Amino acid sequence: CSWDAEEYGLLGSTEWVQDLSKVIYDRALSYLNADTAVSGHDHVAIASTPLLHSVLYTATKMTKCPNPQYPTVYDEWQHYNMIPGTRPYIANLGSGSDYTPFLQNLGITSFDLSYTYSEKDLASYPVYHSVHDTFYWVKKFADMNFEHHKAVGLIWLNVALQIAT
């Protein structure tokens, strides 16, 4: 889906969920969010409800890493966490993106996925919601060959396939 008015209180997704809550509650398995799919090319960042943790680990193990020093996204993600022998960190979802009405209002399991920057290099995604948040900026600075976009799409697809079967 593509939602309007996210920054004005998640109005688009909230109204849609409120209008169709019975149908969504009866039919939805999960809400898969990629609000800011790529804001950098350092590592993957994932926040999720616990029910999706295992499928996210599996999906990242199945996805070729766009950074050539790692075979899979999982391997890169694990390296970024720098705690040998542990699984990569999955944050808890709170609020602030369009998964909120699905999770908070209907209890629909959800995740938020993005390729991001290193916090030691940037304080935030520097062009977020500005006139400079353009195709040119993404191609020039964030994801020159769109390989990180492809990885996010493949993780998303692998999760969708796993929960559908």
Side-chain angles (χ1 to χ4, degrees):
C1 293
S2 181
W3 307 111
D4 279 336
E6 184 205 38
E7 297 304 323
Y8 300 100
L10 307 170
L11 293 179
S13 57
T14 299
E15 288 298 317
W16 193 79
V17 167
Q18 289 174 347
D19 287 349
L20 298 169
S21 61
K22 174 84 169 103
V23 174
I24 296 167
Y25 186 79
D26 288 345
R27 297 181 186 174
L29 296 174
S30 185
Y31 183 77
L32 313 181
N33 196 59
D35 182 18
T36 306
V38 176
S39 61
H41 51 265
D42 189 61
H43 64 281
V44 72
I46 301 174
S48 174
T49 51
L51 283 174
L52 292 175
H53 286 198
S54 66
V55 294
L56 285 159
Y57 288 129
T58 300
T60 57
K61 287 177 182 178
M62 296 169 61
T63 305
K64 182 179 182 248
C65 186
N67 296 324
Q69 63 269 38
Y70 303 100
T72 69
V73 170
Y74 181 90
D75 295 317
E76 176 189 55
W77 187 24
Q78 188 171 35
H79 175 78
Y80 178 78
N81 283 281
M82 293 188 216
I83 303 171
T86 64
R87 288 178 147 184
Y89 176 69
I90 297 176
N92 292 318
L93 287 173
S95 183
S97 192
D98 289 303
Y99 59 79
T100 301
F102 293 88
L103 176 62
Q104 306 296 344
N105 297 0
L106 300 180
I108 305 292
T109 189
S110 307
F111 79 75
D112 191 23
L113 165 69
S114 67
Y115 243 94
T116 190
Y117 47 85
S118 170
E119 288 83 7
K120 65 183 177 220
D121 296 332
L122 294 172
S124 67
Y125 177 41
V127 298
Y128 185 66
H129 285 269
S130 76
V131 296
H132 306 289
D133 193 358
T134 63
F135 180 84
Y136 170 80
W137 189 89
V138 171
K139 185 160 178 58
K140 179 91 172 152
F141 300 107
D143 194 9
M144 297 73 170
N145 296 313
F146 293 87
E147 292 297 321
H148 296 82
H149 282 83
K150 178 181 174 183
V152 167
L154 288 171
I155 294 166
W156 195 99
L157 176 62
N158 283 328
V159 169
L161 289 172
Q162 286 181 73
I163 64 176
T165 57

